[in-house]
């Protein structure tokens, strides 16, 4: 009996060791497998959503994670194909281009990406744009995937204040600085209209060109198809925009039912087993949200913020770490505080002399977001990134008429001729308006000088490109505000080049800021949930409300027209 017990114990130990070894080795991926990846929803600029956010049901996917997995798949020769189920995406055009780029790499490496559109909204422009990069594009039966062209909508709040007896006084530098216009005006100015049309034209050209190249069509054929506004799967096939109408099951049957590997399981595959040991280690410093002073990563509304002290600390830790070879500064920000932007810019200038520092711009890196980026060695943007907006403005409420309508009396006592700027009950005097404009102009001049110094451009040339104007990444690259077009992959390649490393070599990414304790994350999110409950806004506006809630509205701002959204 003792011998039998020893034998059983030995078998149990062997079984446990085999299970541990299997877990460490990762899931089995048979030769000829098909990887199944779902693309949909929002993607955050972090290695993964915070644990507390996932516990509270706010599990947006990580853009970095999905890009890393697709990169790994592109080099995994055990995969014969990758099935991409494309659903409704809540991303901007720059993130869409990063996803397209990853699909294109799959295609070039022989992994045969197959896209299946599973959408049902009236707006599938962006989803189709991503799917079209695949080698084959199919539409699910009964799906609704209209390709109807792009549109941008703008709102102006000036008339609202007039109706309630209030007003907004604005001082701005840069005729294109339309964020102030959207707060105080009732309609679009001509400079704003010029800029808006140029932005829409640039994204539209990229949209049509990308589809034409991927689908091997003439651009005029794509524009003709868009004019026809196809909505049914069958019509998309007729116009050459899709290869057929199929279910997932039918796609698998057409490929003789290959072994399937789900994305969640494939994430367990050790990257080094596919791409080899990393040639270097890069820090990825994430700067997502409005630029503010202080510390933290999440705002009172639960939205991400770019807190200057936290970003600077992350940059300094990465620069001090001997195992970090280069730093990627990932920016997805509409700007905000000039002071906070200046602090981060100064830190970037100090640290780039110690290690290569490359800024990678996501959907938006404008105003303060571009201010921060200009301190890096190189600036890399996707073609559709919204960037630039070198300008400044200040807006203050005037509640005099509203108070009268409500029967509320007001008195103000000041000490100092300019202290009236602290009041909301009356307009500013002409002398204080002039003083305020001088202050905003000083901030603008410093912004222009910082861009000229950081980008090593002539100051007068920067002044011509400034004036508050927003550019797409493609336009900014042609003007010298951006060094290269592409996403994180291209930014990484620029850093490798500075280190003398082969562009195709794999690197390990260490993300900053580091995750915080769970209790701290939960506290922030629960506080944010309470604030969001008081803001019954459509989901599309919730992010902008979160950004605006953190901006220092009583001082000058570096913010682009944040309501620009092209669909």
């Amino acid at each position: 009996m003792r011998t039998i017990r020893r034998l059983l114990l030995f078998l149990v130990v062997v079984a446990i060791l085999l299970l541990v070894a299997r877990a460490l080795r990762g899931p089995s991926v048979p030769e000829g497998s098909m990887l199944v990846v779902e693309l949909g929803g929002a993607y955050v600029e972090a290695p993964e959503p915070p644990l507390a956010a996932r516990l509270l049901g706010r599990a947006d996917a990580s853009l970095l994670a999905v890009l890393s997995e697709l990169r790994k798949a592109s080099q995994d020769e055990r995969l014969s194909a990758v099935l991409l189920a494309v659903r409704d995406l809540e991303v901007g055009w720059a993130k869409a281009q990063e996803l397209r780029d990853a699909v294109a790499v799959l295609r070039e490496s022989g992994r045969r990406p197959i896209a299946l559109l599973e959408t049902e909204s009236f707006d599938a422009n962006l989803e189709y744009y991503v799917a079209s990069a695949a080698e084959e594009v199919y539409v699910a039966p009964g799906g609704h995937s209209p390709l109807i062209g792009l549109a941008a909508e703008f709102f102006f709040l000036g008339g609202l204040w007039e109706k309630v007896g209030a007003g907004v006084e604005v001082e701005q530098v840069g005729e294109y600085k339309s964020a102030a216009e959207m707060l105080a005006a009732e309609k679009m100015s001509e400079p704003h209209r010029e800029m808006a049309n140029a932005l829409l034209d640039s994204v539209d050209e990229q949209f049509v060109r990308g589809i034409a190249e991927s689908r091997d069509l003439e651009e005029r054929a794509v524009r003709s198809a868009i004019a026809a506004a196809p909505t049914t799967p069958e019509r998309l096939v007729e116009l050459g925009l899709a290869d057929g109408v199929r279910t997932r099951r039918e796609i698998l049957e057409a490929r003789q039912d290959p072994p399937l590997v789900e994305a969640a399981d494939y994430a367990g595959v050790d990257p080094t087993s596919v791409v080899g040991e990393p040639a270097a280690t890069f820090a990825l410093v994430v700067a997502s949200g409005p630029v503010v002073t202080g510390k933290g990563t999440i705002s009172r509304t639960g939205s991400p913020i770019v807190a200057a002290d936290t970003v600077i600390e992350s940059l300094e830790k990465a620069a001090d770490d001997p195992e970090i070879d280069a730093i990627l500064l990932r920016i997805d920000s509409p700007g905000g505080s000039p002071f906070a932007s200046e602090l981060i810019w100064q830190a970037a200038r100090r640290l780039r002399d110690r290690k290569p520092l490359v800024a990678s711009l996501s959907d938006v890196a404008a105003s303060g977001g571009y201010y921060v980026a200009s301190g890096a060695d190189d600036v890399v943007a996707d073609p559709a990134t919204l960037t630039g907006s070198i300008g400044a403005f200040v807006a203050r409420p005037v509640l005099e008429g509203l108070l009268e309508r409500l029967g509320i009396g007001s008195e103000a006592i000041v000490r100092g001729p300019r202290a009236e700027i602290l009041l909301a009950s009356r307009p500013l005097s002409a002398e204080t308006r002039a003083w305020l404009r001088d202050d905003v102009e000083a901030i603008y001049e410093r912004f222009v000088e910082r861009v000229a110094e950081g980008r090593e451009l002539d100051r007068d040339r920067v002044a011509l490109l400034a004036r508050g104007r927003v550019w797409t990444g493609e336009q900014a690259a042609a003007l010298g505000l951006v060094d290269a077009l592409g996403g994180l992959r291209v930014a990484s390649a620029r850093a490798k080049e500075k280190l003398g490393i082969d562009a195709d070599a794999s690197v390990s990414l260490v993300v900053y800021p580091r995750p915080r304790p769970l209790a701290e994350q939960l506290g922030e999110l629960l506080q944010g949930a309470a604030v969001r409950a008081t803001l019954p806004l459509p989901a599309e506006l919730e992010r902008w409300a979160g950004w605006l809630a953190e901006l220092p509205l009583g001082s000058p701002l570096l913010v682009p027209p944040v309501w620009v959204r092209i669909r």
Side-chain angles (χ1 to χ4, degrees), residues 427-488:
L428 296 178
S429 66
E431 293 78 12
T432 302
R433 286 291 294 261
W435 169 85
L436 181 59
R437 183 165 184 81
D438 288 343
D439 185 56
V440 176
E441 285 181 346
I443 292 171
Y444 174 74
E445 288 299 320
R446 184 169 63 241
F447 192 170
V448 170
E449 289 169 4
R450 293 299 185 244
V451 172
E453 181 182 346
R455 304 293 304 130
E456 298 181 357
L457 295 171
D458 179 74
R459 190 257 173 222
D460 291 339
R461 168 148 179 82
V462 174
L464 288 174
L465 303 176
R467 300 182 294 163
R469 181 154 183 171
V470 181
W471 308 96
T472 63
E474 188 171 64
Q475 293 168 334
L479 297 170
L481 296 175
V482 165
D483 294 296
L485 293 176
L488 276 168

Side-chain angles (χ1 to χ4, degrees), residues 99-141:
L99 293 171
R100 268 183 62 89
D101 182 53
V103 176
V105 171
L106 287 172
R107 191 169 177 173
E108 293 164 4
S109 63
R111 299 287 83 81
R112 302 203 64 182
I114 302 167
L116 175 62
L117 273 167
E118 297 180 333
T119 60
E120 57 177 347
S121 71
F122 274 105
D123 168 20
N125 292 312
L126 190 140
E127 289 77 9
Y128 177 79
Y129 179 62
V130 171
S132 67
E135 190 169 312
E136 300 174 42
V137 178
Y138 296 98
V139 188

Side-chain angles (χ1 to χ4, degrees), residues 49-59 297-304 516-533 542:
L51 178 58
R54 283 178 279 149
L55 289 175
L56 293 177
R58 299 183 60 216
T297 57
I298 297 177
S299 73
R300 291 168 295 172
T301 61
S303 302
R516 291 162 296 108
L518 175 59
E520 185 179 334
Q521 294 183 43
L522 279 171
E524 286 182 339
L525 276 163
L526 288 171
Q527 181 185 28
V531 174
R532 286 194 306 277
E542 188 174 319

Side-chain angles (χ1 to χ4, degrees), residues 199-210:
L199 291 173
L200 188 57
D201 283 344
S202 181
V203 175
D204 181 61
E205 288 168 6
Q206 296 170 39
F207 175 59
V208 172
R209 183 170 65 242

